[in-house]
Amino acid sequence: MEVQQRLLKERELKIRATLERLRRKRHLLRSQRKNKDFPSVSVMGYTNCGKTTLIKALTGDAGLQPKDQLFATLDVTVHAGQLPSRMTVLYVDTIGFLSQLPHQLIDSFSATLEDVVHSDLLIHVRDISHPETAYQKANVLNVLKNLQIPDRLMNSIIEVHNKVDLISEYEPTEPDCLPISALKELGLEDLRQKVEEGIVKSTGKQIMSLKVDLSSPQLGWLYKEAAVQEVDDGGDDCIATVKVIISGAAYGRYRKLFLNT
């Protein structure tokens, strides 16, 4: 018994050390994503609700292989996708929730859910065909409350009703929810538009019209650092009006590079 206890204690210490390294690694990755000015969207929900299938449909990432099983996602992964404005966002595929599991007491869940706190927007995916979908929603919201998610995130959660193709004559039971089928790729354009609106609001990005000298690198720079929505040269070969969605930091760099000369 003493040997078993010692071995278990050693195992626990190794696991705790691994979790601490995982936290440090995720902190570094979050810092790098922030420095690159990519908005992040955490996709969360119960295990097997279709999170990975949805992210695959939104990003076209062929490397994602959704599985119909519990804990198919055991680690947080990040995948880039484009919104209607051509803005690039990062979708964070989080570990799934489970019923009858005290999330707040399990370090592994806390470590993986830390990414949610640092997101710009949350998507809550619900398997609307599941008989306990209402209970699952309440449990997810309770866990997020215990994680002390900022009010700005809690108040802007996009609730997605997935697997509506499995329900005959589906009728939404709650306001502001988006009915989709990630597998059939139904309702995704409405979701992308909703995500874009939420990102613009949460990040403080601006929609601007800029006068651009077409003989300079300005337009190429904007395509790289912002989301170019429209280019109107008005018949002028030298100057164009460019409509962009751009962050305050990126606009500051743009002004320093091209307007302060």
Side-chain angles (χ1 to χ4, degrees):
M1 181 66 71
E2 290 179 0
V3 172
Q4 287 180 337
Q5 288 179 338
R6 186 174 70 252
L7 291 174
L8 287 172
K9 186 65 176 178
E10 290 175 356
R11 178 63 176 161
E12 178 187 353
L13 292 174
K14 288 180 180 179
I15 291 173
R16 290 189 180 278
T18 300
L19 287 171
E20 185 56 36
R21 288 196 299 271
L22 182 64
R23 286 192 177 96
R24 290 198 297 268
K25 177 183 176 183
R26 290 212 172 100
H27 178 74
L28 176 61
L29 291 174
R30 284 194 297 268
S31 298
Q32 291 173 339
R33 295 200 297 265
K34 186 176 181 181
N35 290 338
K36 291 183 180 294
D37 205 27
F38 289 137
S40 63
V41 180
S42 283
V43 182
M44 59 189 186
Y46 260 67
T47 188
N48 209 28
C49 70
K51 299 187 306 297
T52 303
T53 302
L54 176 58
I55 293 176
K56 182 177 181 178
L58 289 172
T59 64
D61 190 339
L64 280 168
Q65 296 298 328
K67 298 178 181 178
D68 185 14
Q69 63 186 52
L70 298 181
F71 287 130
T73 300
L74 287 172
D75 196 6
V76 170
T77 58
V78 180
H79 309 271
Q82 283 199 328
L83 298 177
S85 66
R86 294 189 290 275
M87 185 196 314
T88 298
V89 295
L90 301 178
Y91 293 99
V92 182
D93 192 1
T94 63
I95 192 169
F97 289 73
L98 275 178
S99 299
Q100 299 178 341
L101 187 67
H103 296 270
Q104 71 276 16
L105 300 180
I106 299 181
D107 286 342
S108 59
F109 270 89
S110 298
T112 58
L113 291 175
E114 282 177 2
D115 289 87
V116 174
V117 181
H118 300 280
S119 300
D120 296 300
L121 190 67
L122 306 181
I123 296 178
H124 176 199
V125 182
R126 293 175 58 187
D127 175 359
I128 205 64
S129 70
H130 195 285
E132 295 185 349
T133 183
Y135 166 77
Q136 291 177 348
K137 174 183 177 177
N139 193 31
V140 167
L141 294 179
N142 187 53
V143 170
L144 293 179
K145 182 179 179 181
N146 290 336
L147 284 173
Q148 298 182 331
I149 301 296
D151 288 341
R152 63 175 182 83
L153 283 176
M154 292 296 293
N155 295 334
S156 62
I157 292 176
I158 297 175
E159 182 175 313
V160 169
H161 287 189
N162 191 26
K163 306 187 183 183
V164 295
D165 54 306
L166 300 182
I167 301 177
S168 59
E169 299 180 359
Y170 165 81
E171 291 289 340
T173 56
E174 299 170 60
D176 300 324
C177 63
L178 288 178
I180 70 162
S181 169
L183 187 62
K184 304 290 186 180
E185 299 192 4
L186 302 174
L188 297 189
E189 289 309 311
D190 289 341
L191 176 56
R192 286 191 180 96
Q193 189 62 48
K194 191 81 171 179
V195 169
E196 182 167 292
E197 293 170 1
I199 287 295
V200 170
K201 183 177 180 180
S202 68
T203 62
K205 289 182 180 290
Q206 306 170 66
I207 301 175
M208 306 182 71
S209 293
L210 304 173
K211 294 290 185 181
V212 171
D213 182 353
L214 296 178
S215 65
S216 79
Q218 286 175 261
L219 186 57
W221 190 94
L222 288 171
Y223 270 109
K224 182 180 179 182
E225 301 292 338
V228 175
Q229 295 188 289
E230 184 180 306
V231 178
D232 180 11
D233 61 14
D236 190 331
D237 294 335
C238 298
I239 301 295
T241 301
V242 181
K243 185 179 180 182
V244 297
I245 298 178
I246 190 168
S247 69
Y251 182 59
R253 295 195 299 271
Y254 174 82
R255 291 186 59 182
K256 184 176 181 180
L257 284 169
F258 302 111
L259 302 184
N260 290 345
T261 57

